[in-house]
Structures are given as C-alpha cells and as structure tokens.
Amino acid sequence: MYAQALALLASASFGLAAIVLKKGYRHSTPLASAVVVLAVNAAALWVLSALFVPKGLFMTTAVIFFAVGGILGQGV
C-alpha cells in the first residue's frame, strides 16, 4: 500500500506542477520559472532524501555523479 500511495502522490504532484507552471508563465519569464522550479525541487527532494534514505548511502562517490547528473539534466 505504501508504494501505491507514493505513486499516487507523485502523479498528483506532477499534475499540480503543470497547472501551477502554466499560471506562473503569465507573470514571469521561462528562465525565471525554470530556476524556481529547479530550486524548489532540489530543496524538497534533498529534505525527503535526508528523512527516508539511509545515511550510509550519502557517503559514496555515486552521490557526486547523481548530483551532477541531476543538475546537468535539468539544465540541458
């Protein structure tokens, strides 16, 4: 049940983000919107990661590649 609840929450959040972004584009530039979305996503996901991911996984070199990939993936 936990996985299904997370999947529903993720899909609802994705849909809500699309609606909010569309409304935000009326009052802002696409670049400013992208920066805000990236900052909010990064902050929220790092907080959730700190709460739910075992701390030992943060001390690996894979975290560096994951972070760089996330930043470059959003930028590209």
Side-chain angles (χ1 to χ4, degrees):
M1 181 70 177
Y2 182 70
Q4 290 88 349
L6 284 179
L8 285 172
L9 181 64
S11 63
S13 298
F14 188 75
L16 181 65
I19 293 169
V20 171
L21 277 173
K22 189 171 183 176
K23 289 184 183 240
Y25 283 145
R26 291 187 218 160
H27 306 289
S28 182
T29 65
L31 179 61
S33 300
V35 169
V36 169
V37 167
L38 180 62
V40 170
N41 283 341
L45 292 175
W46 276 107
V47 168
L48 289 173
S49 296
L51 291 174
F52 295 110
V53 174
K55 305 302 181 240
L57 292 178
F58 284 107
M59 301 303 169
T60 63
T61 56
V63 172
I64 296 168
F65 294 114
F66 183 74
V68 170
I71 291 169
L72 291 177
Q74 290 292 327
V76 171

